[in-house]
């Protein structure tokens, strides 16, 4: 089980590999840490306690898109239901590179950076503000308006929803950028995840 793997010393080995100069191995280690954290809140905390968060963030700057996507996936997972990890992730400078990754031509990078922003900013006022300050909102709207890939559009809509929730400044900015019109079109999607996230985002924007 994930519990046994994480407490057997394997987690520390993975963190060591994550810190190595071998970028391909580091990407695989990030993917393994991501996997250990899925549906396991204790492992999310163990990853942070092992000091892996700054190393995962460093990997966001890798030139290799696989390394970028694996680190974004791991950070995204570590932030779910863990406010201290959300704070650590933003304090160590993850939000700006995640926003830059939204502009990648690689669909996995687009999808996983959107997911990470969605989760890192969920119910975290300081992270919502930081995302706005580093220019996340227009980049998200550009991707929402130009992508035709549901697997990308769904987490982008989710990010817009979470960034707008209980945040009048972000909500007003998204409306000014034209998010409402695009979301109204996406609500008609037959794909449940895209329909649901677009509807949730639209409801947040129309609260104002």
């Amino acid at each position: 089980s994930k519990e046994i793997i994480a407490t057997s010393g394997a987690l520390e080995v993975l963190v060591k590999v994550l810190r190595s100069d071998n970028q391909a191995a580091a990407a695989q280690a990030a993917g393994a840490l991501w996997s250990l954290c899925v549906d396991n809140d204790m492992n999310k905390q163990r990853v942070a306690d092992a000091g892996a968060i700054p190393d995962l963030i460093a990997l966001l700057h890798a030139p290799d898109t696989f390394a970028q996507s694996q680190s974004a996936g791991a950070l995204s997972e570590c932030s779910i239901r863990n406010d201290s990890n959300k704070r650590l992730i933003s304090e160590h400078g993850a939000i700006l590179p995640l926003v830059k990754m939204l502009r990648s031509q690689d669909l996995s990078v687009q999808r996983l950076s959107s997911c990470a922003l969605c989760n890192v900013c969920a119910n975290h006022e300081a992270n919502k503000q930081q995302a706005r300050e580093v220019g996340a909102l227009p980049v998200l709207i550009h991707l929402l308006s130009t992508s035709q890939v549901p697997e990308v559009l769904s987490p982008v809509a989710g990010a817009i929803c979470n960034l707008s929730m209980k945040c009048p400044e972000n909500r007003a900015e998204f409306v000014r950028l034209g998010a409402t019109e695009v979301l109204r079109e996406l609500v008609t999607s037959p794909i449940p995840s895209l329909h649901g996230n677009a509807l949730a985002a639209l409801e947040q924007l129309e609260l104002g």
Side-chain angles (χ1 to χ4, degrees), residues 19-185:
R19 291 172 177 159
S20 74
D21 293 332
N22 185 331
Q23 198 174 92
Q28 294 290 347
L33 290 170
W34 176 8
S35 184
L36 282 175
C37 291
V38 173
D39 298 325
N40 192 306
D41 291 349
M42 289 186 73
N43 282 353
K44 292 169 190 176
Q45 193 56 50
R46 287 186 179 111
V47 167
D49 292 344
I53 298 290
D55 302 293
L56 288 167
I57 293 168
L59 206 56
L60 295 175
H61 298 278
D64 176 62
T65 55
F66 180 70
Q68 291 174 14
S69 65
Q70 296 304 289
S71 55
L75 290 166
S76 178
E77 196 62 45
C78 281
S79 67
I80 296 172
R81 294 187 302 277
N82 192 311
D83 285 347
S84 65
N85 281 358
K86 287 176 188 175
R87 180 180 52 77
L88 266 179
I89 289 166
S90 63
E91 283 180 354
H92 282 90
I95 291 179
L96 180 58
L98 286 170
V99 171
K100 288 181 178 176
M101 286 162 62
L102 294 172
R103 297 190 180 98
S104 172
Q105 296 302 304
D106 186 275
L107 295 179
S108 289
V109 172
Q110 290 178 3
R111 178 174 66 85
L112 291 165
S113 58
S114 301
C115 287
L117 285 167
C118 179
N119 291 330
V120 167
C121 293
N123 303 310
H124 198 288
E125 301 315 307
N127 289 0
K128 292 176 194 179
Q129 180 182 341
Q130 188 181 142
R132 181 176 71 253
E133 289 171 352
V134 301
L137 279 58
V139 182
L140 284 165
I141 296 306
H142 177 75
L143 192 52
L144 190 78
S145 306
T146 56
S147 178
Q148 297 184 351
V149 182
E151 292 81 4
V152 171
L153 289 167
S154 179
V156 170
I160 292 168
C161 176
N162 283 351
L163 281 161
S164 301
M165 197 175 291
K166 298 180 181 177
C167 187
E169 297 90 350
N170 285 0
R171 189 185 304 140
E173 180 69 3
F174 276 130
V175 170
R176 188 188 69 76
L177 290 165
T180 310
E181 293 76 8
V182 185
L183 288 166
R184 281 187 184 132
E185 290 178 22

Side-chain angles (χ1 to χ4, degrees), residues 50 172 202:
L202 190 59

